[in-house]
Amino acid sequence: MFGLKEDWSLKLPPRYFTLEDYDGGVARWCPGCGDHGVLMSVRRICRDEQIPPEKVVSVSGIGCSSRFPHYMKTYGFHGLHGRALPVAEGIKARRPDLDVWVTTGDGDNCSIGAGHWLHAVRYNMDMVVMMFDNNIYGLTKKQTSPTTQPGERTNTHPRGALLPAIDPITTMLGMTNVSFVAQTVDWNPVHLHDTLVRAWKHPGFSFVRILQRCPQYTAHVFSGLQDDPDALLVMEHDNGVPVDKALDRTLKNRTTHDPSDKMEAFALAARRDAIPIGLFFCDPDRPRYNEMTVEGMGMSVEDKLAGLEDQLDRFAI
Amino acid sequence: MRDANSRQSQEMPRTTVHEHIVEIVSDSGEGAQKAGQALGAISAKMGNGVWTVEIIPAEIKPPARSREGASGIRVRIGDHPITNMGDEADLVVAFNEQVLYGRLQNRAYRPGTVLLLDNRWAADPDENIRAMYAEALEEFRSHGLEIIELPLDEECRKHTPNPRLGKNMFVLGMLCQIYNRDLERARQEIATVFRRKGDKVIALNHKLLQAGYDYAATAVPLRFDIPCWDADSPKVVMNGNQATALGIMAAGIEVVAMYPITPATSVSHQLGDSFPATGGFLHQAEDEIAAIGFAIGASYAGRTAATVTSGPGMALKTEFIGLAVMAEVPLVVIDVQRGGPSTGLPTKVEQGDLLGTLFGAMGDTPKIVIAPATIEECFHFPILARRLAEDFRGPVFILSDANLATGVTAFPRPTPQAEWMAPPPDQSPWEEGLAPYAWDEATGVSPRPIPGQKGGEYTLTGLAHNERSKVAYAPEPNEHGLRMRSRKLAALQRTLKPPVVNGDPEGDLLVVGWGSTLGAIEEAVGKARSEGLRVSSLHLRFLSPMEPGLKEIFSRFKQVITVELNYSDPADDPFVPASARRYGQLAFLLRAQTLVDVDCFTLNQGLPVAPGKVYAEITRRLPTHAHAAR
Ligand SMILES: Cc1ncc(C[n+]2csc(CCOP(=O)(O)OP(=O)(O)O)c2C)c(N)n1
Ligand SMILES: [Mg+2]
């Protein structure tokens, strides 16, 4: 990590980044909010992978979780509610050198931004998309979100949410050109971290649903999951999210799942006895739009002028 | 063969005219537009001034022979530059009589307009059709149309089993005979138009062209000459949307994100075809919101970007436009206006988005808004807009419209310049300590960090923010941000010159316009002035900020009116008290800006303004002078 190689030779990089280089200040989320842990994890990945801060772009929509970019000391884009994905696509389109991380909420992504979500999966552009799912609208104070379970009391449905919740995982699995679907929880920093690293390494639209505690509004939803050691089902596979030994004692409920098996992924996602975490599905060979959008990039001004003259010729009289 | 042609043409004496307006109308799918476009292109190449405008039915395929289903084209050809579609047609070729009803209703024809009509319907097996044909002829004659019935279908059948597909080129041949067009150029034009269809199709159309030419030599007793105006200087012929697309390329814009919407779509068709020539990428997004979001993302990352749309798309983009203003993201937004509100008149022209563009967003969103007045300006304005967007760090709006979009004319061939092109994004280290919004107090302008620039890291936000782009809800930074964003418009205005008055700098009436109405207004004003009326005109290219000096210019005229293609309550509407009267959109702005009692003359028919209508309004307002002049 410090340039010391296996043969004891020292190769010092011209710049070396520490956690501080990604630290955009103290986050203003509530104490106990799951967002803090994700922020720490992303900063750590940037440090571990030594991504120059000026090459990282953290893009978000609007919501508590979407404050994320402000707490990174990298480039950031805190845009509109539900519209993080089109912006991220535009950024990536002609800047393959930039490392794009998207933060979105369950309302941001599955409600107001749902249309973009479907197409972003199809574009399959190389970026990590973290959906912070606290089952609620946090920022606007406890309204029903698309992932709120029916019967949950919210300020818009005080007698209980009316509709079945959207399942982001089966929805993802069903979308055209899906290439990476993972799930993790904010309160297990090891699994969270390993999942995000796996997502970052995948070339394509790497979607990670993070079950995220909201101590203010949905504490009870997540406390059950935290207390019961068998509530989570860890998916294991050589191609999946590597499962750290440190988890052997705490997360014993395991299953083997090959992430190239989409049908089994559907079946796992549909399970009601436990919530699977790890990699549901991965296909690194899906077409990627970001390889098409770069066409013509870097053309010289002379060539552009010549090309334009050619086009004008077609209209010349 | 050419000798034979010229011998035939000599048999009948030709009348020399300054200009003629020709229409070809048919059911849709009969190729009238192709014939008209070819006639326009040939004439432009011969050195005539030309303006063509398509006649488009609302539906893709209206039923055959329907009164509202006219599909076709108008071609105005002159011995001088032509800037608009003109008033009534001089000559009409029609493939059936029913489609003419709608045109008549639009006052496209006058007594004396010559109508060359396919008479196959007179002998149609269907008795109803025969009756309709006879009835129509009677009615058209009562309007004063001079009708020449011709067996077009029968004549074409001599050369092709399917006259429906070939009649258009036969008619082109006839028009070449009537207007003394260069047949060789016509043949070349056909070869270009049908190049993808293969040699057989080209040969058949050449045959039909010649047949029409020969047929008219004996069967049509009309011969005109329209002298050329300028055959030498290099020119290009295109419509406004093609000019816009090439202008986007000339600006060095790299990314255009759009969602299909009439009448803006053909910009993307041209880009789809041409954009790779300058290394650009066209993104067809999932909707207009995503389109502008994508463009904003690209621009944020240092790639010059534009989005192209029409009114309904502008409505969808509103929230992102607010963000682009707030966070100062350079962006070119092109609105090819159509009739509104709602889905309105998708294929037809209106200038109804002016106020919406200026004010349609949350809170105070100062924007730069410019409007091309000619097809040539459609080419140059994206270049201007891109520069303004970068220099003033924000979105710049180009308001084009359906009239410019589909009108075709010739203009001097632009000479692309390296300076027009956007430079590649700056990736040098950001100056240490420099804030991402280091606003200059006098101009509100600030340098912009681009991702990849070391030391420039900041988080762009749509929340109120200070110059370090940190969220700031306190009163002072909020006011400061508002002031800085607004100040950019004042700074831009300081660089502009007062607009040029067309005509005398003072007089009885000043006509103020914007956008595609320029040609018609100046033609009307020119005519009125030649009759001694003290009228001038002025055409704004900048709508926000407006060009300076307007109040002073207005003070030199007794009356000031705008001519606009949008809604206003008539001044004499018995149901609308003066206190409730709503003005045309530019008039509304000018009144607020100058405190001058600017009146307006507005049209909302979905049609380009005809010079005759502006002329009539001028003479209505200056009646005594009009008499004195006579
Ligand atoms: C166009 C628009 N509509 C509504 C809002 C209000 N709003 C802000 S955040 C939000 C919901 C946030 O919920 P979620 O996406 O789940 O994020 P969380 O706060 O839970 O992290 C809403 C409705 C807005 N900012 N913009
Ligand atoms: Mg939420």
Side-chain angles (χ1 to χ4, degrees):
Chain A
M1 187 178 292
F2 291 90
L4 195 54
K5 309 237 299 239
E6 263 165 41
D7 62 359
W8 301 100
S9 69
L10 194 63
K11 186 164 179 276
L12 279 182
R15 295 163 78 196
Y16 179 76
F17 308 106
T18 65
L19 274 178
E20 233 170 66
D21 291 313
Y22 306 94
D23 186 343
V26 180
R28 304 246 224 115
W29 293 304
C30 302
C33 170
D35 295 357
H36 293 285
V38 187
L39 176 64
M40 293 308 147
S41 192
V42 172
R43 286 182 189 165
R44 245 183 69 202
I45 295 172
C46 292
R47 191 270 321 263
D48 292 352
E49 304 295 340
Q50 288 292 297
I51 316 170
E54 71 271 15
K55 295 287 192 182
V56 177
V57 188
S58 170
V59 185
S60 68
I62 298 287
C64 290
S65 41
S66 285
R67 282 298 189 96
F68 198 97
H70 287 283
Y71 309 131
M72 294 287 291
K73 206 159 118 194
T74 62
Y75 282 93
F77 194 111
H78 178 214
L80 299 181
H81 191 29
R83 318 291 173 203
L85 291 173
V87 171
E89 291 152 12
I91 292 170
K92 190 71 188 176
R94 306 284 278 190
R95 291 296 304 267
D97 57 317
L98 297 177
D99 217 302
V100 178
W101 296 75
V102 177
T103 300
T104 179
D106 43 320
D108 203 58
N109 187 65
C110 303
S111 194
I112 189 167
H116 304 310
W117 181 24
L118 170 66
H119 291 275
V121 172
R122 183 166 166 244
Y123 297 136
N124 190 30
M125 297 178 85
D126 190 14
M127 57 182 72
V128 179
V129 179
M130 302 176 288
M131 189 181 108
F132 292 59
D133 192 350
N134 54 5
N135 284 209
I136 200 78
Y137 283 13
L139 188 70
T140 45
K141 302 193 188 336
K142 206 182 183 186
Q143 295 82 24
T144 308
S145 110
T147 59
T148 303
Q149 291 301 322
E152 281 292 324
R153 291 170 199 279
T154 68
N155 282 332
T156 39
H157 297 101
R159 285 169 292 280
L162 300 174
L163 294 168
I166 282 181
D167 179 346
I169 301 292
T170 51
T171 307
M172 274 298 301
L173 290 171
M175 290 197 217
T176 302
N177 211 30
V178 56
S179 83
F180 187 100
V181 188
Q183 178 153 267
T184 185
V185 297
D186 79 74
W187 58 88
N188 191 316
V190 177
H191 193 269
L192 170 71
H193 187 81
D194 292 341
T195 306
L196 291 180
V197 171
R198 181 71 182 80
W200 182 76
K201 291 195 167 148
H202 170 77
F205 187 87
S206 311
F207 181 86
V208 183
R209 180 199 191 193
I210 304 170
L211 298 180
Q212 175 240 317
R213 292 164 300 167
C214 173
Q216 196 69 18
Y217 302 127
T218 53
H220 60 287
V221 174
F222 298 99
S223 60
L225 295 179
Q226 280 176 274
D227 298 344
D228 175 2
D230 289 334
L232 302 177
L233 172 65
V234 181
M235 296 181 284
E236 296 179 301
H237 193 271
D238 285 349
N239 272 337
V241 173
V243 184
D244 197 284
K245 281 205 171 55
L247 302 180
D248 284 352
R249 244 168 9 95
T250 47
L251 296 175
K252 290 202 179 110
N253 194 10
R254 304 285 173 100
T255 186
T256 305
H257 166 59
D258 177 352
S260 66
D261 185 346
K262 202 190 257 182
M263 284 306 130
E264 189 177 80
F266 268 113
L268 278 164
R271 273 176 71 160
R272 289 290 158 260
D273 57 319
I275 294 179
I277 58 172
L279 186 54
F280 282 98
F281 180 72
C282 174
D283 179 356
D285 299 324
R286 302 306 310 165
R288 282 178 289 273
Y289 195 45
N290 53 288
E291 286 162 16
M292 310 168 199
T293 53
V294 292
E295 203 159 312
M297 238 178 75
M299 187 182 275
S300 71
V301 171
E302 294 70 45
D303 286 351
K304 287 184 185 180
L305 288 172
L308 183 58
E309 291 283 9
D310 283 349
Q311 295 304 310
L312 284 167
D313 282 345
R314 295 168 57 186
F315 297 93
I317 55 170
Chain B
M1 191 175 283
R2 288 192 72 168
D3 278 343
N5 291 340
S6 44
R7 216 178 309 128
Q8 282 170 350
S9 332
Q10 277 159 10
E11 285 167 13
M12 210 173 289
R14 288 193 177 269
T15 312
T16 299
V17 292
H18 289 302
E19 63 163 82
H20 247 215
I21 297 174
V22 183
E23 282 193 5
I24 310 171
V25 283
S26 64
D27 288 335
S28 74
E30 293 187 302
Q33 289 171 355
K34 240 181 209 148
Q37 278 154 0
L39 178 67
I42 297 159
S43 301
K45 286 177 183 171
M46 291 174 67
N48 288 113
V50 169
W51 185 279
T52 70
V53 54
E54 288 168 12
I55 300 160
I56 314 167
E59 296 105 81
I60 300 271
K61 262 213 166 295
R65 295 173 48 78
S66 67
R67 290 189 172 198
E68 297 303 322
S71 169
I73 192 159
R74 165 178 280 216
V75 189
R76 187 178 178 196
I77 307 167
D79 63 0
H80 53 279
I82 303 286
T83 60
N84 66 86
M85 65 157 195
D87 293 302
E88 296 99 357
D90 298 287
L91 179 80
V92 183
V93 186
F95 294 5
N96 74 63
E97 78 293 347
Q98 291 300 311
V99 293
L100 295 170
Y101 279 103
R103 300 298 298 151
L104 263 177
Q105 207 171 23
N106 284 346
R107 307 223 167 87
Y109 311 139
R110 57 171 163 75
T113 298
V114 176
L115 169 60
L116 305 181
L117 180 61
D118 192 342
N119 68 2
R120 62 182 283 213
W121 313 102
D124 198 273
D126 183 337
E127 182 187 333
N128 281 330
I129 289 182
R130 294 199 303 272
M132 283 162 84
Y133 181 82
E135 188 187 325
L137 251 65
E138 200 165 314
E139 180 161 351
F140 297 162
R141 287 209 172 94
S142 77
H143 279 91
L145 264 57
E146 287 176 19
I147 304 175
I148 303 177
E149 293 177 82
L150 299 169
L152 296 182
D153 202 75
E154 194 184 312
E155 284 297 324
C156 287
R157 211 172 281 279
K158 293 179 187 162
H159 309 281
T160 170
N162 187 1
R164 219 184 116 77
L165 287 183
K167 213 183 280 178
N168 58 346
M169 290 302 131
F170 185 85
V171 165
L172 179 64
M174 286 170 54
L175 292 168
C176 286
Q177 175 68 270
I178 295 169
Y179 289 104
N180 206 14
R181 303 290 92 180
D182 181 345
L183 256 203
E184 192 43 45
R185 285 192 199 273
R187 278 192 208 98
Q188 282 166 10
E189 197 59 33
I190 285 174
T192 318
V193 170
F194 294 102
R195 67 187 181 281
R196 296 221 174 95
K197 300 249 162 103
D199 290 346
K200 252 184 155 163
V201 174
I202 294 174
L204 174 63
N205 282 291
H206 278 164
K207 196 165 99 182
L208 285 157
L209 176 82
Q210 188 66 46
Y213 190 89
D214 295 343
Y215 173 71
T218 52
V220 184
L222 302 165
R223 294 292 181 276
F224 301 101
D225 247 327
I226 310 171
C228 78
W229 147 66
D230 170 16
D232 301 331
S233 71
K235 287 196 227 55
V236 285
V237 180
M238 61 182 84
N239 69 34
N241 275 0
Q242 291 168 326
T244 300
L246 294 183
I248 285 170
M249 292 165 63
I253 288 171
E254 237 186 270
V255 173
V256 171
M258 48 65 67
Y259 185 79
I261 183 167
T262 307
T265 318
S266 60
V267 175
S268 62
H269 294 180
Q270 191 60 50
L271 286 172
D273 193 13
S274 302
F275 214 6
T278 55
F281 184 77
L282 178 75
H283 173 60
Q284 179 177 334
E286 60 269 26
D287 59 37
E288 282 91 346
I289 300 175
I292 187 173
F294 192 100
I296 285 175
S299 171
Y300 164 80
R303 303 299 186 183
T304 48
T307 184
V308 186
T309 190
S310 188
M314 284 293 281
L316 282 177
K317 290 177 196 293
T318 302
E319 194 188 12
F320 258 127
I321 289 169
L323 174 67
V325 172
M326 180 58 140
E328 307 189 44
V329 184
L331 181 70
V332 176
V333 181
I334 300 168
D335 174 8
V336 186
Q337 299 167 96
R338 67 190 218 179
S342 191
T343 312
L345 299 169
T347 59
K348 303 198 178 233
V349 65
E350 189 179 291
Q351 298 177 312
D353 292 348
L354 177 58
L355 294 181
T357 302
L358 257 74
F359 303 120
M362 62 304 266
D364 186 59
T365 48
K367 304 162 194 148
I368 298 172
V369 182
I370 56 179
T374 63
I375 289 170
E376 184 177 4
E377 287 175 10
C378 286
F379 176 87
H380 289 282
F381 274 36
I383 303 165
L384 170 65
R386 204 271 303 160
R387 272 302 298 273
L388 291 171
E390 300 280 326
D391 290 354
F392 291 90
R393 197 178 176 178
V396 174
F397 296 79
I398 297 179
L399 294 181
S400 175
D401 66 35
N403 182 30
L404 291 171
T406 56
V408 177
T409 195
F411 60 88
R413 180 185 171 125
T415 313
Q417 315 277 319
E419 307 87 78
W420 291 352
M421 301 253 168
D426 186 358
Q427 293 288 281
S428 62
W430 183 252
E431 186 185 321
E432 215 180 298
L434 185 63
Y437 295 96
W439 292 300
D440 178 88
E441 272 297 314
T443 62
V445 172
S446 55
R448 179 172 73 113
I450 306 286
Q453 281 192 286
K454 194 178 138 208
E457 296 85 355
Y458 77 109
T459 289
L460 177 148
T461 182
L463 286 167
H465 50 268
N466 61 22
E467 66 168 21
R468 308 216 69 88
S469 200
K470 297 291 178 202
V471 178
Y473 295 144
E476 201 287 324
N478 189 51
E479 283 185 324
H480 189 59
L482 283 161
R483 208 181 302 123
M484 289 300 103
R485 291 188 295 273
S486 182
R487 197 152 287 177
K488 292 190 286 186
L489 293 195
L492 169 56
Q493 203 211 39
R494 289 205 297 271
T495 71
L496 303 177
K497 291 197 213 72
V500 177
V501 175
N502 164 49
D504 291 333
E506 76 246 317
D508 295 333
L509 175 64
L510 178 70
V511 178
V512 185
W514 68 285
S516 70
T517 53
L518 173 75
I521 291 175
E522 293 199 341
E523 192 169 321
V525 166
K527 182 172 178 207
R529 289 179 60 78
S530 72
E531 292 165 5
L533 299 190
R534 288 166 40 83
V535 55
S536 302
S537 66
L538 175 162
H539 214 76
L540 292 173
R541 272 38 173 221
F542 277 78
L543 284 320
S544 171
M546 285 206 204
E547 286 136 88
L550 293 180
K551 189 170 182 147
E552 197 275 322
I553 295 172
F554 291 1
S555 72
R556 292 186 255 124
F557 291 86
K558 289 193 186 129
Q559 291 183 61
V560 181
I561 62 163
T562 63
V563 168
E564 302 181 63
L565 297 174
N566 52 43
Y567 184 77
S568 69
D569 293 318
D572 54 0
D573 190 322
F575 301 108
V576 180
S579 58
R581 182 177 170 214
R582 297 174 61 243
Y583 285 79
Q585 299 193 8
L586 178 62
F588 178 102
L589 283 178
L590 291 174
R591 292 170 69 86
Q593 194 81 36
T594 64
L595 294 179
V596 171
D597 190 5
V598 176
D599 202 351
C600 56
F601 171 65
T602 63
L603 294 160
N604 321 272
Q605 301 178 317
L607 302 170
V609 59
K613 289 187 176 148
V614 181
Y615 173 78
E617 177 65 12
I618 293 170
T619 52
R620 190 182 75 78
R621 288 184 176 261
L622 304 174
T624 47
H625 293 83
H627 286 302
R630 283 183 199 131

